[in-house]
């Protein structure tokens, strides 16, 4: 351990980090450090509830998501990570960036080298990566994930995920293997129960009704009998504020493009997925066919917005994350088939999978994105 610390904590490097990426408290110049000095560690933790720092340490600063400055700090940090190695993207760099998007707590602490094993045990519980004054980014075991010179080929280093996330990934892969479907083993787990902050049941109810409304309008346009957006909103009891900017424009557009009509027609799938997540529907079938449009129409037209708000009860978090993990891996399979110019695996509807993935990413607040900006990377 001390050999590692001497190498990586006393290394003389020029850290190419902009001011917004530097620790909460400026450290003693690294060139004067020795292995007898306390070590400055900036830990970036993804769990919602930070475990007690039950090891000898000195806190230099700490903040969580309630501090608006943390988001800007993480944005700057992510920009610095992207700049390493002249901007080349690697699996390790991508994994670090995904971790930064999940960070809930930033803790700056001084730890003596003799207590690093206890720090590592804590970092594993906190699901933390560390930034060191020398410019290295390390995993909980202090193995180097990224170096300031851009090197990130350490096979022993691993961006952490909660154990529950690894277990979920294994269950999904086993389920898919029973269907002769094989996603990339390197595809990481999705966010875990200890990290996720779901949208509220009320927000889900409003969003699914807005998605249903634009899908109904798109279907009416496609059938050459366009229904005015105002009429649909009145019928469903929806206010203009329920819609995203793009949806609002589509609802008001008297001559929507074919591209927009097709795009918003797919929103039936998103609405159905969120209706299942909110407990309005009992089952979400395997994505082998488009959703039952007649069922969703009959149900939501009867309930209207007020009824859906009253009925909405989010399913258990574990069940929602199981669904997300499944659809992320299925999405990789269908995208890979398209990239390889091969037929999509039998029993999979690529469009359905993509829209479900989008709805579920919104539900778990992936990248903190608003609806129009939700991404579905695989």
């Amino acid at each position: 351990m001390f050999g590692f610390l001497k190498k990586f904590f006393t290394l003389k490097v020029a850290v190419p980090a902009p001011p917004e990426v530097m620790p909460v408290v400026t450290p003693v110049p690294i060139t004067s450090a020795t292995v007898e000095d306390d070590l400055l560690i900036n830990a970036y933790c993804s769990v919602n509830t930070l475990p007690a720092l039950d090891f000898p340490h000195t806190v230099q600063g700490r903040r969580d998501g309630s501090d608006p400055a943390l988001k800007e700090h993480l944005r700057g940090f992510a920009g610095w990570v992207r700049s390493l190695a002249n901007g080349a993207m690697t699996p390790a760099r991508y994994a670090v960036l995904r971790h930064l998007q999940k960070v809930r707590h930033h803790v700056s602490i001084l730890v003596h080298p003799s207590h690093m094993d206890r720090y590592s045990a804590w970092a594993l519980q906190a699901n933390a990566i560390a930034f060191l004054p020398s410019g290295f980014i390390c995993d909980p075991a202090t193995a180097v994930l990224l170096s300031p010179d851009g090197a990130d080929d350490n096979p022993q280093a691993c961006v952490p995920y909660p154990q529950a996330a690894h277990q979920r990934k294994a269950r999904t892969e086993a389920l898919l293997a029973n269907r002769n479907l094989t996603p990339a083993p390197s595809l990481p787990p999705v966010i875990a129960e200890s990290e996720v902050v779901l949208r509220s049941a009320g927000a889900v109810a409003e969003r699914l009704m807005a998605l249903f409304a634009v899908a109904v309008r798109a279907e009416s346009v496609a059938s050459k009998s366009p229904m005015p957006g105002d009429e649909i909103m009145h019928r469903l009891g929806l206010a203009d504020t329920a819609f995203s900017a793009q949806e609002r424009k589509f609802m008001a557009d008297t001559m929507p493009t074919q591209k927009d009509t097709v795009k918003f027609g797919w929103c039936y799938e998103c609405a159905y997925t969120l209706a299942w997540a909110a407990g309005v529907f009992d089952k979400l079938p395997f994505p082998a066919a488009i959703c039952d449009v007649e069922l969703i129409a009959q149900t939501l037209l009867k309930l209207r917005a007020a009824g859906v708000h009253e009925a909405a009860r989010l399913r258990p978090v574990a069940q929602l994350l199981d669904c997300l993990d499944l659809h992320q891996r299925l999405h990789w399979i269908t995208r890979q088939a398209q990239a390889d110019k091969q037929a999509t695996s039998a029993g999979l509807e690529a469009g359905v999978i993509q829209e479900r993935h989008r709805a579920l990413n919104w539900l778990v607040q992936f990248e903190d994105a608003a609806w129009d900006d939700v991404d579905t990377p695989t």
Side-chain angles (χ1 to χ4, degrees):
M1 171 64 77
F2 279 5
F4 168 85
L5 294 173
K6 185 174 181 62
K7 178 179 180 182
F8 289 110
F9 285 89
T10 66
L11 190 66
K12 297 180 180 180
V13 296
V15 183
E20 64 268 26
V21 180
M22 296 307 291
V24 174
V25 176
T26 303
V28 174
I30 194 65
T31 53
S32 67
T34 70
V35 293
E36 285 74 33
D37 292 324
D38 283 349
L39 309 166
L40 180 65
I41 299 174
N42 279 269
Y44 294 86
C45 316
S46 68
V47 294
N48 291 322
T49 303
L50 195 68
L53 284 83
D54 55 355
F55 55 91
H57 67 281
T58 302
V59 174
Q60 300 292 285
R62 60 187 297 173
R63 54 188 171 182
D64 59 24
S66 65
D67 184 344
L70 179 57
K71 182 177 289 189
E72 287 304 312
H73 171 83
L74 292 172
R75 186 177 293 115
F77 194 176
W80 179 73
V81 169
R82 291 189 187 93
S83 74
L84 297 176
N86 297 317
M89 187 57 68
T90 65
R93 195 162 295 120
Y94 181 80
V96 167
L97 289 170
R98 286 288 174 231
H99 182 92
L100 293 177
Q101 290 167 347
K102 299 190 298 179
V103 166
R104 306 292 182 192
H105 301 269
H106 173 201
V107 183
S108 184
I109 51 178
L110 291 170
V111 182
H112 191 270
S114 61
H115 300 305
M116 285 303 293
D117 287 344
R118 294 179 64 181
Y119 159 78
S120 292
W122 172 85
L124 196 61
Q125 294 178 50
N127 209 61
I129 62 173
F131 177 78
L132 310 181
S134 50
F136 291 93
I137 297 175
C138 298
D139 70 6
T142 64
V144 175
L145 289 162
L146 297 179
S147 301
D149 61 2
D152 55 2
D153 57 355
N154 182 356
Q156 280 73 48
C158 184
V159 171
Y161 294 91
Q163 189 60 32
H166 285 294
Q167 293 169 348
R168 175 170 290 107
K169 176 179 185 288
R171 290 196 303 270
T172 302
E173 290 173 337
L175 184 154
L176 292 176
N178 289 335
R179 292 177 175 268
N180 296 317
L181 297 170
T182 307
S186 60
L187 194 63
V190 299
I191 196 167
E193 290 91 330
S194 60
E195 304 170 295
V196 72
V197 177
L198 297 175
R199 307 277 180 177
S200 69
V204 172
E206 183 172 78
R207 176 99 301 270
L208 78 87
M209 288 301 292
L211 289 163
F212 175 63
V214 295
V216 168
R217 169 137 173 82
E219 183 180 10
S220 73
V221 171
S223 64
K224 308 301 182 184
S225 301
M227 292 178 63
D230 289 346
E231 180 182 335
I232 296 171
M233 292 163 60
H234 176 72
R235 177 76 184 276
L236 296 177
L238 273 174
D240 183 69
T241 54
F243 298 94
S244 71
Q246 291 180 14
E247 290 169 342
R248 194 174 297 113
K249 179 178 180 297
F250 178 72
M251 292 295 282
D253 194 346
T254 57
M255 297 184 64
T257 64
Q258 182 179 7
K259 181 179 178 181
D260 279 349
T261 301
V262 172
K263 170 186 170 181
F264 287 105
W266 275 106
C267 286
Y268 276 126
E269 298 296 339
C270 299
Y272 195 101
T273 302
L274 292 181
W276 168 82
V280 176
F281 296 134
D282 292 333
K283 295 181 180 179
L284 187 67
F286 193 78
I290 62 173
C291 68
D292 187 336
V293 174
E294 183 176 353
L295 173 63
I296 192 171
Q298 289 177 347
T299 303
L300 299 186
L301 285 170
K302 179 179 179 180
L303 287 172
R304 303 178 78 242
V308 172
H309 270 273
E310 184 176 347
R313 298 288 186 277
L314 291 183
R315 293 181 178 277
V317 177
Q319 191 175 355
L320 296 172
L321 296 181
D322 284 349
C323 188
L324 172 60
D325 197 85
L326 171 66
H327 285 85
Q328 176 180 273
R329 294 180 204 292
L330 289 173
H331 203 177
W332 183 91
I333 290 170
T334 56
R335 278 180 168 165
Q336 192 61 40
Q338 292 169 355
D340 295 339
K341 297 182 179 180
Q342 296 178 351
T344 302
S345 299
L348 294 181
E349 180 60 56
V352 172
I353 292 167
Q354 176 172 310
E355 297 306 319
R356 287 186 183 181
H357 190 185
R358 182 184 180 195
L360 292 165
N361 269 1
W362 175 84
L363 177 63
V364 302
Q365 303 198 63
F366 180 72
E367 297 183 338
D368 292 324
W371 177 257
D372 287 341
D373 302 317
V374 174
D375 195 11
T376 55
T378 54

